Amino acid sequence: YDWKPVKEYREILFESCQGVGKITINRPRYRNAFTPLTVQEMIDAIDHCRYANDINVVVFTGANDPNEARQAFCSGGDQNIKGVGGYVGEDGVPRLNVLDLQKRIRSLPKPVVAMVNGYAIGGGHVLHVVCDLTIASENAIFGQTGPKVGSFDGGFGSSYLARHVGQKKAREIWFLCLQYSAQEALDMGLVNKVVPFDQLEEATMEWCLIMQQRSPLALRMVKAGLNAELDGQAGIQELAGNATLLYYFTEEAQEGKKAFLEKRAPDFQQYPKFP
Ligand code: 1HA
């Protein structure tokens, strides 16, 4: 694939090709653990994808380490800089800004795919959990570590995980902090597809290209609808925002604005009603 850089960053790569924006965590030395800067850069890149007309699908992945037999998607927060109150950025301020990234992934009105090339552990596991689809290579390993290393994610990392694998399995994953193979992940409904390592990108691109043959507005509405069932008022707010967007395309809605500007009473009855 002819990946073209979209924007330069320090801790991630952001490239695009054939309508796909690819965001790669680029800290293989630390199994692609993220710092506040890594997360800030991922937020910047996903915000770019929101507005870019030539990006229809977003892929998250981890940089492979050519010197290592074992690869990583993401091993969660960088434990070297975990301070009191969160992960300490270059400004000395502790934070948990990966939660902001999780929300953006879910509310992006375009599909987001996790291309899991190795370890997806801790906050790195939650990262794939919040993506719309997960395609994993056969060597991928999945698991939470929170209760083993003094942390937990009781938000999407728990409740949304349980929606994927069920409550019993979600509790097992969090209470025992074991590691699961790609095949086990597939069997429990945690991932969509498992492919050989050297076919991971091809398989991911194949699905991304199929999704781009589908109606973008239809995908947007389905994603918002699937989210709304789980996200309470915040989910309904997004789904309703999409409904308003579509309503504005009708003549009936345009009539309201026109009548106001022309200082006359609106005539909404002239438009067809649907049973
Ligand atoms: O829980 C949260 C949050 C909760 C609420 C809100 C926000 C949250 C945000 C984040 C998180 C978390 O992510 S908590 C969980 C943090 N992550 C972990 O507990 C995983 C730590 N890593 C591992 O368990 C293992 O490294 C591994 C299973 C991914 C891979 O094992 P492996 O192949 O044996 O490699 P290993 O030798 O352990 O790692 C290679 C190098 O990468 C090591 O450095 P070296 O000894 O060569 O100097 C290792 O220290 C480093 N490394 C790996 N993971 C991390 C890391 N360095 C810093 N942070 C890491 N997460």
Side-chain angles (χ1 to χ4, degrees), residues 28-31 33-34 68 70 72 74-80 82 87 96 98-99 102 119 121-124 145-146 148-149 151-154 174 179:
R29 164 70 183 83
Y30 301 100
R31 295 281 189 254
F34 54 75
E68 282 279 353
R70 282 179 289 187
C74 177
S75 62
D78 187 324
Q79 298 305 291
N80 297 302
K82 192 177 174 200
Y87 294 89
L96 295 169
V98 78
L99 300 177
Q102 293 173 8
Y119 286 110
I121 301 285
T145 61
K148 209 161 70 176
V149 298
S151 183
F152 66 93
D153 181 344
W174 273 104
Q179 294 185 348

Side-chain angles (χ1 to χ4, degrees), residues 261-274:
L261 293 175
E262 292 165 11
K263 300 191 187 303
R264 61 173 171 83
D267 174 14
F268 290 122
Q269 294 306 324
Q270 60 181 307
Y271 303 106
K273 297 178 187 72
F274 301 92

Side-chain angles (χ1 to χ4, degrees), residues 96-109:
L96 295 169
N97 58 346
V98 78
L99 300 177
D100 297 331
L101 175 66
Q102 293 173 8
K103 282 198 273 191
R104 278 175 163 83
I105 290 172
R106 276 179 64 91
S107 59
L108 187 78

Side-chain angles (χ1 to χ4, degrees), residues 6-212:
V6 177
K7 195 171 164 184
E8 295 295 324
Y9 293 101
R10 280 160 58 192
E11 299 191 347
I12 67 167
L13 303 171
F14 180 24
E15 303 156 292
S16 74
C17 171
Q18 298 177 50
V20 179
K22 184 169 74 165
I23 300 170
T24 307
I25 304 177
N26 193 20
R27 303 185 77 232
R29 164 70 183 83
Y30 301 100
R31 295 281 189 254
N32 293 320
F34 54 75
T35 70
L37 177 66
T38 324
V39 173
Q40 185 49 51
E41 292 181 345
M42 286 194 277
I43 288 174
D44 191 78
I46 200 166
D47 285 351
H48 178 103
C49 294
R50 184 174 199 116
Y51 291 99
N53 253 321
D54 57 349
I55 294 179
N56 307 307
V57 182
V58 177
V59 171
F60 276 97
T61 192
N64 290 317
D65 188 338
N67 305 315
E68 282 279 353
R70 282 179 289 187
Q71 303 300 346
F73 170 73
C74 177
S75 62
D78 187 324
Q79 298 305 291
N80 297 302
I81 56 159
K82 192 177 174 200
V84 178
Y87 294 89
V88 181
E90 287 168 344
D91 56 5
V93 178
R95 69 194 84 212
L96 295 169
N97 58 346
V98 78
L99 300 177
D100 297 331
L101 175 66
Q102 293 173 8
K103 282 198 273 191
R104 278 175 163 83
I105 290 172
R106 276 179 64 91
S107 59
L108 187 78
K110 301 175 181 179
V112 182
V113 183
M115 182 167 90
V116 178
N117 54 314
Y119 286 110
I121 301 285
H125 187 258
V126 178
L127 190 60
H128 104 84
V129 164
V130 298
C131 291
D132 298 307
L133 299 171
T134 297
I135 302 180
S137 51
E138 287 165 348
N139 59 304
I141 293 175
F142 298 83
Q144 298 297 155
T145 61
K148 209 161 70 176
V149 298
S151 183
F152 66 93
D153 181 344
F156 287 136
S158 293
S159 60
Y160 197 30
L161 175 69
R163 292 294 182 136
H164 298 321
V165 301
Q167 282 279 345
K168 290 276 183 192
K169 206 72 195 177
R171 284 163 208 247
E172 175 191 314
I173 290 170
W174 273 104
F175 292 0
L176 280 80
C177 300
L178 303 176
Q179 294 185 348
Y180 301 87
S181 69
Q183 186 58 47
E184 288 171 312
L186 185 66
D187 293 342
M188 68 172 105
L190 187 56
V191 307
N192 297 88
K193 194 181 174 85
V194 176
V195 298
F197 180 75
D198 60 3
Q199 291 168 26
L200 181 60
E201 189 161 280
E202 198 184 333
T204 305
M205 283 302 269
E206 194 185 320
W207 276 24
C208 290
L209 297 180
I210 294 174
M211 285 190 282
Q212 289 186 81

